Amino acid sequence: MDAMIKKVFLAAAIAISLSACGPQIPPINFSPPNVGPTQTKLNAEVKSITVTVARPEEATGPLVFGIEAATPLWKTAVEEALNKMAIFRDDAPQKVSLSVKVLKLDTPDFGMNFTTTSAARYEIIDRATGSIIFTTDVNSDGVVPVDYAFVGAVRARESINRSVQNNILQFLQQLQTVNLNRPMFPTGAPPAPAAKGTPTS
């Protein structure tokens, strides 16, 4: 019994030592870096942005426990990126909504190189008609090598950040191809499943 107690205390001491000396776990940060103004301009105003988590039958892969608590951060990151791009016009007569549905957020429980995979469906909807102007499923990875940090929890958190940042960046790239005058699914036309990683046509 004494030996077992000593092992428990030793393990606790090692854990405390690692947490004290090792790097701090980075905060959740979904804001993609290096986003700036674009030459492409869309003559529409975004009136609302929502980010939700897919229902079990909609999900395309595992969803990390507690993902619903991170959706406000995903929403803030999208808003910030759109503001930096200045791709929409606040005074435009056409009003649209942007809906983001998280379909997958999967990070390994352990590993040397951490790779988190994410998937999200982005839809731009005309608020006047209900037509789906644009929809796409975006898949992305966030890879953090073993030499990034000794503590696995640090690599895991950073891989989540990078995966979501890359997901938003891919959406921003596709956003520059949107044609507001040609909705993908006009009112009354049922939407088909979006091709993963590419806009539906």
Side-chain angles (χ1 to χ4, degrees), residues 13-26 148-155:
I14 292 173
I16 293 172
S17 175
L18 288 175
S19 63
C21 300
Q24 296 295 314
I25 296 177
Y148 177 82
F150 173 75
V151 179
V154 174
R155 301 197 303 277

Side-chain angles (χ1 to χ4, degrees), residues 125-150:
I125 302 167
D126 188 312
R127 293 171 66 92
T129 66
S131 297
I132 298 176
I133 297 171
F134 177 80
T135 180
T136 182
D137 284 5
V138 177
N139 291 269
S140 60
D141 294 330
V143 181
V144 177
V146 66
D147 60 0
Y148 177 82
F150 173 75

Side-chain angles (χ1 to χ4, degrees), residues 4-199:
M4 180 62 69
I5 293 176
K6 288 180 180 179
K7 288 182 179 179
V8 171
F9 277 108
L10 179 60
I14 292 173
I16 293 172
S17 175
L18 288 175
S19 63
C21 300
Q24 296 295 314
I25 296 177
I28 293 292
N29 181 7
F30 293 160
S31 297
N34 305 320
V35 176
T38 176
Q39 296 299 315
T40 302
K41 302 299 178 183
L42 298 178
N43 192 24
E45 177 185 1
V46 178
K47 296 294 290 184
S48 70
I49 299 175
T50 58
V51 179
T52 58
V53 179
R55 296 189 299 270
E57 65 271 17
E58 297 175 310
T60 60
L63 289 163
V64 66
F65 179 77
I67 178 58
E68 62 278 357
T71 54
L73 299 177
W74 197 313
K75 176 178 181 289
T76 298
V78 171
E79 288 177 333
E80 180 185 41
L82 291 178
N83 288 338
K84 289 180 178 179
M85 282 186 76
I87 191 170
F88 289 100
R89 287 181 48 194
D90 291 342
D91 58 348
Q94 186 175 14
K95 313 300 180 183
V96 300
S97 297
L98 172 59
S99 170
V100 184
K101 182 169 291 186
V102 183
L103 304 173
K104 175 183 179 181
L105 188 63
D106 185 24
T107 189
D109 294 328
F110 58 89
M112 301 299 284
N113 295 329
F114 268 82
T115 300
T116 294
T117 59
S118 61
R121 178 169 299 146
Y122 296 82
E123 289 186 347
I124 299 175
I125 302 167
D126 188 312
R127 293 171 66 92
T129 66
S131 297
I132 298 176
I133 297 171
F134 177 80
T135 180
T136 182
D137 284 5
V138 177
N139 291 269
S140 60
D141 294 330
V143 181
V144 177
V146 66
D147 60 0
Y148 177 82
F150 173 75
V151 179
V154 174
R155 301 197 303 277
R157 175 66 64 84
E158 180 61 18
S159 73
I160 293 174
N161 286 340
R162 293 184 184 184
S163 182
V164 177
Q165 290 169 8
N166 290 337
N167 199 279
I168 295 173
L169 277 174
Q170 288 186 42
F171 164 67
L172 298 179
Q173 292 168 357
Q174 294 187 28
L175 185 60
Q176 298 179 77
T177 69
V178 171
N179 187 341
L180 296 174
N181 298 320
R182 296 184 60 188
M184 289 183 170
F185 299 103
T187 304
K196 295 181 180 179
T198 57

